[in-house]
Amino acid sequence: MKKTSMKKLLVAMTAAATLGTAGTSYAEDPIQIGGIYILSGSAATYGEFAQKGINLAVDEINASGGILGRQVEMVYEDSQGKASVAIQAARKLVYSEGVEALVGLDSSGVAQGMVPTMPELQKPLIITHAATPDVTGKLCNPFTYRISVNVAQNMKAAALVAAETDATNWTTIGPDYAFGHQSWEFFGNYLKEIKPDVNLMSETNFPRFGAEDFTPFIDRVMNSDAEGVLISVWGGDLVNFIRQANTRGFFDKDMEVMFTVGAATEVLSALGEEMPEGVHLSTRYWYDAYDNEVNDRFVKAYMDAYGTPPSYNAEGAYAAIYAYKQAMEAAGTTEGPAVAKALSGMSMEAPNGTVTFRAGDHQAMVSPNWGVSGPMHPEHGIRTLTNLQIFDGEEVARTIEETGCKL
């Protein structure tokens, strides 16, 4: 368990201020929110960036009076990228720590395992990263929401981008679990609908998540007839993949290369100029893409605090805390069932524009971003995105009937 030291100080100050008064007010205790992210291993930077976004939101909210007159305090747990660990962490946060709500989850596999436990916990969960469509589809329930782009939305956008290229033969390299397999499945189905003459190659490549050596998969694609490749490797694995691909001459091959989360600023910062120019990169939020006051304020505050551009994981986590503020204030309580109900159909202003949690499946209607890697940014030390496309979240979303969600 990890708590922010500043929040401990606020709690101590609140307690000290109320000493000597009759009947210390329980209502002045801080609202605790539990965060479950990968905080160790090759994908730990995603959890760290989420914490940065959350802590920024919490500091802003507390400075403006908190939620329902109470300060907000975060309690974090490391999921370790394992469903069993995440479930145990969620139960600990709810039953032992007394948190009022949950945010987090970086892995689709973890999300698939944990989401069915939410009705038991009777607390709302806003997923800020994990993208499997199942959690707002066949596994949906009244307590689970997602504020970030899901696989189906992003792969519909990816297919629209791919359809504009001349590539006909497509294959994939992705992690060997739900995210990798579902990314390829949705991409292939959508691309076939848009461009029926494409060939989805039977030779696909699914290295295990956390693999050290990607060269067998890189060589296999280079030696194939592939004209386009969808790559859904992410996090530290993606950094390793690109470095190994550079040494093999992978990007010198005449081929359309599409990275489904390649424009994550964590990855771009780690790679610098090692990220090749001219490849298709996606992200669930590009910090320079949205012209609105909320985004201007968020990006400035984030860069002032941390010195780097915010990632999509930081933005989603930041927005999730503000979603809870709006929902709790609308409900007039922090009781789990009431807050979960208030989130349904709720619209809010976030850095990536107006975000609505669709009532039928609790998936946020948010926009996938796709662009092409360009020159290095002179100040931020990362690749820029050229030909940036901001897809309408509703237009690339499945219908409620297609999701299989029944609330």
Side-chain angles (χ1 to χ4, degrees):
M1 180 184 69
K2 301 175 181 178
K3 296 184 181 182
T4 56
S5 57
M6 183 177 294
K7 307 308 173 296
K8 287 183 177 179
L9 177 60
L10 288 169
V11 174
M13 292 172 64
T14 300
T18 55
L19 280 175
T21 61
T24 298
S25 173
Y26 182 77
E28 293 181 355
D29 288 346
I31 295 171
Q32 290 192 318
I33 298 176
I36 303 173
Y37 289 96
I38 297 176
L39 299 174
S40 58
S42 64
T45 53
Y46 282 80
E48 293 167 7
F49 273 61
Q51 285 183 308
K52 288 180 178 178
I54 287 172
N55 292 341
L56 186 61
V58 168
D59 287 347
E60 290 177 355
I61 290 170
N62 285 343
S64 64
I67 300 174
L68 299 173
R70 297 164 61 185
Q71 296 287 285
V72 180
E73 178 181 281
M74 289 300 302
V75 187
Y76 292 107
E77 290 286 341
D78 182 2
S79 75
Q80 301 175 27
K82 301 174 182 176
S84 61
V85 175
I87 292 169
Q88 187 177 25
R91 287 178 172 147
K92 177 185 175 185
L93 288 167
V94 171
Y95 296 135
S96 298
E97 300 295 335
V99 303
E100 306 284 5
L102 296 167
V103 294
L105 306 188
D106 296 293
S107 160
S108 291
V110 170
Q112 288 174 324
M114 182 174 148
V115 160
T117 69
M118 295 314 300
E120 166 202 324
L121 300 178
Q122 292 286 297
K123 298 295 181 184
L125 164 68
I126 299 180
I127 295 172
T128 63
H129 187 193
T132 175
D134 295 346
V135 298
T136 50
K138 63 184 181 183
L139 298 178
C140 72
N141 62 62
F143 291 90
T144 300
Y145 289 79
R146 174 165 41 214
I147 201 165
S148 54
V149 171
N150 68 25
V151 164
Q153 290 171 308
N154 199 28
M155 291 304 96
K156 178 67 173 292
L160 291 167
V161 173
E164 294 298 316
T165 72
D166 295 328
T168 298
N169 291 331
W170 284 87
T171 188
T172 190
I173 303 176
D176 191 14
Y177 72 102
F179 180 65
H181 289 275
Q182 290 184 327
S183 293
W184 177 239
E185 175 189 350
F186 278 92
F187 173 78
N189 290 340
Y190 284 132
L191 185 55
K192 269 288 188 184
E193 287 178 9
I194 301 167
K195 199 172 180 180
D197 62 336
V198 298
N199 175 40
L200 303 174
M201 298 171 64
S202 58
E203 291 184 352
T204 51
N205 307 275
F206 294 102
R208 70 172 174 82
F209 181 63
E212 293 81 13
D213 185 7
F214 293 97
T215 57
F217 307 97
I218 293 168
D219 290 347
R220 191 177 184 203
V221 172
M222 291 180 69
N223 294 328
S224 74
D225 295 328
E227 298 167 333
V229 56
L230 181 83
I231 301 174
S232 55
V233 177
W234 61 281
D237 285 8
L238 180 53
V239 173
N240 291 333
F241 174 90
I242 289 176
R243 287 173 174 160
Q244 293 172 25
N246 275 329
T247 64
R248 315 295 279 191
F250 182 79
F251 300 108
D252 296 330
K253 190 174 172 63
D254 185 17
M255 187 167 53
E256 298 289 345
V257 179
M258 301 183 67
F259 289 101
T260 67
V261 282
T265 55
E266 301 94 330
V267 171
L268 296 177
S269 295
L271 288 169
E273 293 183 348
E274 293 179 278
M275 173 62 83
E277 285 192 70
V279 296
H280 301 276
L281 302 179
S282 174
T283 180
R284 297 160 194 176
Y285 158 83
W286 184 248
Y287 66 98
D288 197 29
Y290 297 91
D291 184 16
N292 63 63
E293 291 183 8
V294 177
N295 192 49
D296 291 347
R297 186 172 66 246
F298 168 64
V299 172
K300 182 180 187 306
Y302 192 96
M303 295 193 67
D304 287 347
Y306 306 116
T308 60
S311 71
Y312 73 77
N313 215 25
E315 187 274 338
Y318 173 89
I321 301 303
Y322 272 99
Y324 276 134
K325 172 178 167 58
Q326 185 171 323
M328 288 176 178
E329 290 177 346
T333 178
T334 60
E335 291 294 326
V339 176
K341 186 177 181 181
L343 285 166
S344 182
M346 187 184 86
S347 294
M348 60 177 287
E349 296 305 316
N352 56 348
T354 302
V355 172
T356 299
F357 292 105
R358 193 164 61 174
D361 62 352
H362 296 175
Q363 171 63 47
M365 296 296 101
V366 286
S367 50
N369 300 176
W370 277 92
V372 176
S373 55
M376 292 292 290
H377 192 289
E379 298 176 2
H380 300 164
I382 61 175
R383 290 286 181 199
T384 53
L385 285 186
T386 63
N387 301 325
L388 184 62
Q389 298 185 69
I390 309 299
F391 290 88
D392 185 290
E394 290 195 54
E395 291 182 0
V396 295
R398 296 182 295 172
T399 65
I400 300 297
E401 291 71 25
E402 289 173 331
T403 68
C405 176
K406 296 180 180 178
L407 290 172

